[in-house]
Amino acid sequence: MNDLPWLTVLWALPLVGALVTAFLPKAPGSVLPKQAGLVFSLLTLAVGIAIAVQYDTGDGMQFTETHTWIEAFGVHYALGVDGLSLLLILMTVALVPLVLVAAWNEADDRSPAAFVAWALALESFSLAVFAATDVFLFYVVFEATLIPAYFLIGRFGRAGRGYAALKFLMYQLGGGLVLLAAVIGLYVVSSDAGTPSYLLGDLQQLDIGTDTQRWLFVGFMIAFAIKAPLFPVHTWLADTTEKATPGTSVLLVCVLDKIGTYGMLRFCLGLFPEASQWATPVVVAIALVSIVYGAFVAIGQDDILRLIGLTSLSHFGFITLGIFAFTSQGGTGAILYMVNHGVATAALFLIAGYLIRRKGTSLISQITGVESKAPVLAGLFLVAGLATLGLPGLSQFVSEILVLISAFDYHWWVGAIAVTGIVLAAVYVLWLYQRTMTGPTAPGDEALTDLNRRELVAVVPLMLALVFFGFYPMPLLDVSNPTVDSLLQHVGVSDDAPTVADHAEEGTH
């Protein structure tokens, strides 16, 4: 059982599913490609759960696989998971089948088989990214994610999707080229130290000069800031979420964009600890601008999908702030924020997609009085929105309070500015709900229907996760705490504050 290459099976399954789905017979009206894609996504979910069941929360990198790939350059096919990667892997394998169910009829007017195949390919490459422990392998799959993402945006969605796809690709390729230069720089550094190697464990043992380490950090950080995204390299985000299908937006914002903040933790802090501390004031300032600017801009939007996309600019600012506060609460809060943001924002996008298909428009100014005709849709949309603004009792509150504690520990004015993001979130969420769900029913909405069984199957698990982890976040904390402690030790930061788990244990005595 333990000899099975679990992580290879994990990322290979959806890739095989993508190939099978792409070559299935495509008779008009056939649901076979969609059924096959759902089966493969559920099998991937089962493998992810099997890995989680066997995972030992206190034992570092696990399920490791290391094989020489390009010996002359020190490149290996190397995989492994710790608490950080495990949580993001579980989030990914859980979201993809829900997206496929929610988007069951989303691409019927084009090519359902192509939509499912590209979605599975994106899942496959994303899982490989989260599991890669060789920098060169990480770079390869990091760039490979752009292929299915580009076609999901450019082939499906609304008018203007071609421009949005091209803009997305240009930004991401620009960041990828900067990252490639930094990856080559790592090869030079490791070669000068003796035997070249791209393995994370080997690179972490290198004594990289201060100037070199800082230049390499900048290269990695630019690529991750674009991917996340952060201000001012975020402008592709709103166009993409506005023009793409809601299902595609879930895959991009809730899965693909997490690669950016994942990379900050895994590579920026893991490989360049001194440079990460050196850059902290600038990164914190960028995070604060992202928090406040993203919230303000979201308030002024009239397109519901564009608004939801811009809220993520603010949320990624919170995640980045937690990472670079260099405290146990901040690191744990950032990891939990990645997961909880993925769940809450996925619910918002999917329910907004249901609403748009019923109304035929995404303009907030043309939607009103939905709760009187579709109370379940309106109620679930409100719960997802309240989770987004950090309502106590819902999972994102736990993440935000941990990040805010770390922000105030860093400096009181940093915490004070970050808190404004919470206040502004209440404005854009509640105002959005008020404008679209309350008030008189719009003319022509007399036959507006509520959510059907398939639509509920896609969003109810997300609602349950928001409530469950809001009241009982310990399973997430137990997995993330050891990884954060290890990272802080590696960076050389002394953090005397007790972890959240410590507080919980004290409360049981």
Side-chain angles (χ1 to χ4, degrees), residues 56-362:
D56 182 352
T57 56
D59 198 26
M61 197 67 71
Q62 299 170 49
F63 298 94
T64 55
E65 303 173 36
T66 306
H67 307 282
T68 300
W69 181 12
I70 309 175
E71 186 173 2
F73 296 105
V75 177
H76 297 76
Y77 173 78
L79 306 175
V81 293
D82 60 1
L84 168 62
S85 47
L86 178 64
L87 289 179
L88 293 177
I89 283 171
L90 289 176
M91 179 192 69
T92 302
V93 297
L95 285 179
V96 171
L98 297 179
V99 167
L100 294 181
V101 171
W104 197 257
N105 302 318
E106 204 163 78
D108 282 352
D109 58 337
R110 295 186 180 89
S111 173
F115 180 86
V116 173
W118 287 125
L120 290 175
L122 182 58
E123 178 185 24
S124 172
F125 296 143
S126 298
L127 293 172
V129 165
F130 294 136
T133 57
D134 179 279
V135 175
F136 189 86
L137 174 63
F138 169 84
Y139 172 75
V140 170
V141 287
F142 176 89
E143 292 291 83
T145 58
L146 301 184
I147 301 170
Y150 171 79
F151 284 104
L152 282 170
I153 300 166
R155 188 168 180 180
F156 307 95
R158 299 186 289 170
R161 60 186 179 273
Y163 168 78
L166 183 61
K167 187 174 183 179
F168 164 83
L169 189 62
M170 291 299 100
Y171 267 86
Q172 302 298 328
L173 285 177
L177 288 174
V178 176
L179 179 60
L180 176 60
V183 169
I184 294 172
L186 276 178
Y187 168 77
V188 174
V189 170
S190 66
S191 296
D192 291 343
T195 305
S197 176
Y198 275 114
L199 289 173
L200 266 176
D202 293 342
L203 293 172
Q204 287 175 338
Q205 304 304 315
L206 294 179
D207 183 16
I208 305 176
T210 300
D211 291 341
T212 302
Q213 186 175 148
R214 291 177 179 180
W215 278 111
L216 293 175
F217 169 88
V218 169
F220 275 80
M221 189 64 193
I222 289 174
F224 296 147
I226 293 173
K227 181 73 75 176
L230 294 175
F231 179 90
V233 287
H234 67 282
T235 58
W236 61 268
L237 174 66
D239 291 328
T240 300
T241 55
E242 180 183 359
K243 302 304 181 184
T245 65
T248 297
S249 293
V250 172
L251 297 177
L252 294 178
V253 176
C254 303
V255 177
L256 188 66
D257 289 358
K258 297 300 188 305
I259 295 173
T261 45
Y262 167 83
M264 294 177 198
L265 282 162
R266 175 71 73 222
F267 299 102
C268 290
L269 272 62
L271 296 179
F272 318 115
E274 185 278 334
S276 296
Q277 294 188 63
W278 162 77
T280 293
V282 174
V283 177
V284 167
I286 292 172
L288 291 175
V289 173
S290 298
I291 291 170
V292 178
Y293 176 79
F296 266 119
V297 175
I299 291 173
Q301 300 304 310
D302 190 41
D303 187 287
I304 190 170
L305 295 177
R306 192 177 184 90
L307 186 153
I308 297 172
L310 283 168
T311 66
S312 293
L313 172 60
S314 185
H315 295 312
F316 277 105
F318 274 108
I319 297 170
T320 305
L321 179 59
I323 293 171
F324 283 86
F326 291 111
T327 65
S328 57
Q329 292 97 335
T332 302
I335 295 174
L336 264 62
Y337 212 125
M338 285 189 257
V339 177
N340 293 327
H341 169 268
V343 175
T345 305
L348 278 176
F349 271 125
L350 294 182
I351 298 172
Y354 298 156
L355 178 60
I356 292 167
R357 281 195 288 276
R358 283 162 168 76
K359 292 289 297 180
T361 180
S362 62

Side-chain angles (χ1 to χ4, degrees), residues 316-460:
F316 277 105
F318 274 108
I319 297 170
T320 305
L321 179 59
I323 293 171
F324 283 86
F326 291 111
T327 65
S328 57
Q329 292 97 335
T332 302
I335 295 174
L336 264 62
Y337 212 125
M338 285 189 257
V339 177
N340 293 327
H341 169 268
V343 175
T345 305
L348 278 176
F349 271 125
L350 294 182
I351 298 172
Y354 298 156
L355 178 60
I356 292 167
R357 281 195 288 276
R358 283 162 168 76
K359 292 289 297 180
T361 180
S362 62
L363 296 180
I364 298 169
S365 57
Q366 297 180 16
I367 304 174
T368 183
V370 174
E371 67 179 8
S372 62
K373 294 295 182 180
V376 175
L377 184 154
L380 293 180
F381 189 76
L382 179 61
V383 173
L386 293 175
T388 297
L389 64 83
L391 183 74
L394 298 174
S395 61
Q396 197 153 301
F397 170 76
V398 180
S399 315
E400 286 185 346
I401 199 67
L402 289 174
V403 171
L404 287 174
I405 289 171
S406 68
F408 278 105
D409 282 344
Y410 181 83
H411 203 289
W412 71 265
W413 61 264
V414 172
I417 295 174
V419 166
T420 63
I422 308 296
V423 177
L424 294 171
V427 174
Y428 61 67
V429 167
L430 296 178
W431 196 29
L432 169 64
Y433 182 85
Q434 181 185 37
R435 286 184 289 171
T436 57
M437 302 298 168
T438 65
T441 303
D445 282 357
E446 291 76 12
L448 190 71
T449 59
D450 212 335
L451 298 183
N452 59 39
R453 188 174 303 173
R454 174 184 59 80
E455 292 168 332
L456 285 171
V457 166
V459 297
V460 167

